[in-house]
Amino acid sequence: MGEAKRRANEIAKFKVEQSRWLANLTPAEKVILQLSQRLEERLVRAQGFTEGCYHLAFFMTRYLVDKGVVVMPIIGWVNDGTWDGVASHAWVEYEGRITDVSMTRTSHPEQQPPGSMIVLGQILKKGRAEYTYYKNDDHRALKAAAMQRVDPQLGSVQAQKDAHHRQMLKIAEPGHLERIDDYLAGAPSGLQFNDLKQLVE
């Protein structure tokens, strides 16, 4: 009974904090929140969309520009705390705060446990794992990736992932929205910009 009461108190406290957070959002932040919720609910959850972190980061960046909200697509690294390595990952940031809706569902949840839904640095849905986020120039992530490259089992796979990571970094460079447009235009049917725009509006 004590554990149930403690859990109920935790949930009540979380709801109060979330209500307070929601009440203080600016108009731009509310646009980011609404987009994040709709992508997570209608694409990630409803359609089982996985392994699309770059795609979601680029779509969110492009969509929000049209709404007058500027976010930065970040190509970096994450670690789930169960190993010493890192995985390439993408998210967006607004005023330095992380928004990531792509980790709530993973294609191999036993090897890569689902993470939290994070909007503007706030956890809205808690995942099975707590991921640590590293920007691309973080020395800890770079060291971990370098070690993976020389690992006999991971080396060849890491080389392919490194090449893809560099390609995504180039697309995400500030001032080159046309690269994001080209990336989204080349997506499969159902995942192109106008497809996703229709899904979230």
Side-chain angles (χ1 to χ4, degrees), residues 34-35 38 42 59 63 66-67 193-201:
Q34 183 181 68
L35 174 62
R38 290 180 178 178
R42 299 177 185 180
F59 171 73
Y63 179 88
D66 291 346
K67 300 294 181 183
F193 180 81
N194 286 331
D195 301 322
L196 294 180
K197 182 180 178 181
Q198 186 175 9
L199 183 69
V200 299
E201 291 189 339

Short mmCIF file of all heavy atoms in Angstrom, two decimals, residues 34-35 38 42 59 63 66-67 193-201:
data_model
loop_
_atom_site.label_atom_id
_atom_site.label_comp_id
_atom_site.label_asym_id
_atom_site.label_seq_id
_atom_site.Cartn_x
_atom_site.Cartn_y
_atom_site.Cartn_z
N GLN A 34 2.96 21.29 -29.91
CA GLN A 34 1.88 20.70 -30.69
C GLN A 34 2.42 19.82 -31.82
O GLN A 34 1.94 18.70 -32.03
CB GLN A 34 0.98 21.79 -31.26
CG GLN A 34 -0.22 21.24 -32.03
CD GLN A 34 -1.09 22.35 -32.60
OE1 GLN A 34 -0.67 23.08 -33.50
NE2 GLN A 34 -2.30 22.48 -32.07
N LEU A 35 3.41 20.32 -32.52
CA LEU A 35 4.02 19.53 -33.59
C LEU A 35 4.62 18.24 -33.04
O LEU A 35 4.43 17.16 -33.61
CB LEU A 35 5.10 20.35 -34.31
CG LEU A 35 5.92 19.59 -35.35
CD1 LEU A 35 5.03 19.08 -36.49
CD2 LEU A 35 7.03 20.49 -35.91
N ARG A 38 1.90 15.67 -32.08
CA ARG A 38 1.24 15.08 -33.25
C ARG A 38 2.15 14.10 -33.98
O ARG A 38 1.70 13.05 -34.44
CB ARG A 38 0.74 16.18 -34.17
CG ARG A 38 -0.42 16.94 -33.56
CD ARG A 38 -0.95 18.03 -34.45
NE ARG A 38 -2.10 18.68 -33.82
CZ ARG A 38 -2.76 19.70 -34.35
NH1 ARG A 38 -2.38 20.20 -35.52
NH2 ARG A 38 -3.78 20.24 -33.72
N ARG A 42 0.85 10.42 -34.09
CA ARG A 42 0.30 10.04 -35.38
C ARG A 42 1.28 9.30 -36.29
O ARG A 42 0.86 8.57 -37.19
CB ARG A 42 -0.22 11.29 -36.12
CG ARG A 42 -1.32 12.00 -35.35
CD ARG A 42 -1.75 13.28 -36.05
NE ARG A 42 -2.73 14.01 -35.26
CZ ARG A 42 -3.28 15.16 -35.63
NH1 ARG A 42 -2.95 15.70 -36.81
NH2 ARG A 42 -4.15 15.77 -34.85
N PHE A 59 12.36 17.33 -40.80
CA PHE A 59 10.98 17.76 -41.05
C PHE A 59 10.57 18.83 -40.05
O PHE A 59 9.98 19.85 -40.42
CB PHE A 59 10.00 16.59 -40.97
CG PHE A 59 8.57 17.05 -41.01
CD1 PHE A 59 8.01 17.53 -42.18
CD2 PHE A 59 7.80 17.06 -39.85
CE1 PHE A 59 6.70 18.00 -42.22
CE2 PHE A 59 6.49 17.53 -39.87
CZ PHE A 59 5.94 18.00 -41.06
N TYR A 63 9.35 22.48 -41.18
CA TYR A 63 7.96 22.81 -40.89
C TYR A 63 7.88 24.05 -39.99
O TYR A 63 7.07 24.95 -40.21
CB TYR A 63 7.28 21.63 -40.22
CG TYR A 63 5.84 21.85 -39.85
CD1 TYR A 63 4.81 21.60 -40.76
CD2 TYR A 63 5.49 22.34 -38.58
CE1 TYR A 63 3.48 21.81 -40.42
CE2 TYR A 63 4.16 22.55 -38.24
CZ TYR A 63 3.17 22.28 -39.16
OH TYR A 63 1.85 22.50 -38.83
N ASP A 66 8.38 27.53 -41.53
CA ASP A 66 7.16 28.06 -42.15
C ASP A 66 6.19 28.64 -41.13
O ASP A 66 5.31 29.42 -41.48
CB ASP A 66 6.45 26.96 -42.97
CG ASP A 66 7.24 26.56 -44.20
OD1 ASP A 66 8.18 27.29 -44.58
OD2 ASP A 66 6.92 25.51 -44.79
N LYS A 67 6.35 28.26 -39.87
CA LYS A 67 5.51 28.80 -38.78
C LYS A 67 6.19 29.96 -38.06
O LYS A 67 5.68 30.46 -37.06
CB LYS A 67 5.19 27.70 -37.76
CG LYS A 67 4.44 26.50 -38.33
CD LYS A 67 3.04 26.88 -38.77
CE LYS A 67 2.28 25.68 -39.31
NZ LYS A 67 0.95 26.02 -39.82
N PHE A 193 7.75 15.94 -47.35
CA PHE A 193 7.33 17.08 -46.55
C PHE A 193 5.83 17.27 -46.54
O PHE A 193 5.21 17.39 -45.47
CB PHE A 193 8.02 18.37 -47.04
CG PHE A 193 7.61 19.58 -46.24
CD1 PHE A 193 8.21 19.84 -45.02
CD2 PHE A 193 6.62 20.43 -46.69
CE1 PHE A 193 7.83 20.94 -44.25
CE2 PHE A 193 6.23 21.53 -45.95
CZ PHE A 193 6.83 21.79 -44.72
N ASN A 194 5.21 17.32 -47.69
CA ASN A 194 3.78 17.58 -47.75
C ASN A 194 2.96 16.45 -47.12
O ASN A 194 1.88 16.69 -46.57
CB ASN A 194 3.32 17.83 -49.18
CG ASN A 194 3.76 19.21 -49.67
OD1 ASN A 194 3.91 20.15 -48.89
ND2 ASN A 194 3.98 19.34 -50.98
N ASP A 195 3.46 15.21 -47.22
CA ASP A 195 2.78 14.08 -46.58
C ASP A 195 2.73 14.26 -45.08
O ASP A 195 1.69 14.10 -44.43
CB ASP A 195 3.49 12.76 -46.90
CG ASP A 195 3.56 12.47 -48.38
OD1 ASP A 195 2.58 12.76 -49.10
OD2 ASP A 195 4.59 11.94 -48.84
N LEU A 196 3.88 14.60 -44.50
CA LEU A 196 3.95 14.76 -43.06
C LEU A 196 3.24 16.03 -42.60
O LEU A 196 2.62 16.05 -41.52
CB LEU A 196 5.41 14.79 -42.59
CG LEU A 196 6.18 13.48 -42.78
CD1 LEU A 196 7.60 13.61 -42.28
CD2 LEU A 196 5.48 12.33 -42.07
N LYS A 197 3.31 17.06 -43.42
CA LYS A 197 2.57 18.29 -43.10
C LYS A 197 1.08 18.00 -42.99
O LYS A 197 0.41 18.45 -42.05
CB LYS A 197 2.85 19.35 -44.16
CG LYS A 197 2.16 20.67 -43.88
CD LYS A 197 2.47 21.69 -44.98
CE LYS A 197 1.75 23.00 -44.71
NZ LYS A 197 2.01 24.01 -45.77
N GLN A 198 0.57 17.24 -43.92
CA GLN A 198 -0.85 16.88 -43.90
C GLN A 198 -1.17 16.04 -42.66
O GLN A 198 -2.24 16.18 -42.07
CB GLN A 198 -1.21 16.12 -45.17
CG GLN A 198 -2.69 15.82 -45.31
CD GLN A 198 -3.01 15.18 -46.65
OE1 GLN A 198 -2.12 14.78 -47.41
NE2 GLN A 198 -4.29 15.05 -46.94
N LEU A 199 -0.24 15.19 -42.27
CA LEU A 199 -0.46 14.32 -41.12
C LEU A 199 -0.58 15.13 -39.81
O LEU A 199 -1.36 14.77 -38.93
CB LEU A 199 0.71 13.34 -40.99
CG LEU A 199 0.63 12.29 -39.88
CD1 LEU A 199 -0.47 11.28 -40.18
CD2 LEU A 199 1.97 11.61 -39.70
N VAL A 200 0.20 16.21 -39.69
CA VAL A 200 0.23 16.93 -38.41
C VAL A 200 -0.71 18.12 -38.36
O VAL A 200 -0.86 18.75 -37.31
CB VAL A 200 1.67 17.39 -38.07
CG1 VAL A 200 2.59 16.20 -37.93
CG2 VAL A 200 2.20 18.38 -39.11
N GLU A 201 -1.35 18.44 -39.47
CA GLU A 201 -2.24 19.61 -39.47
C GLU A 201 -3.70 19.20 -39.42
O GLU A 201 -4.05 18.04 -39.49
CB GLU A 201 -1.95 20.49 -40.68
CG GLU A 201 -0.59 21.17 -40.56
CD GLU A 201 -0.35 22.23 -41.65
OE1 GLU A 201 -1.01 22.18 -42.71
OE2 GLU A 201 0.53 23.08 -41.42
#
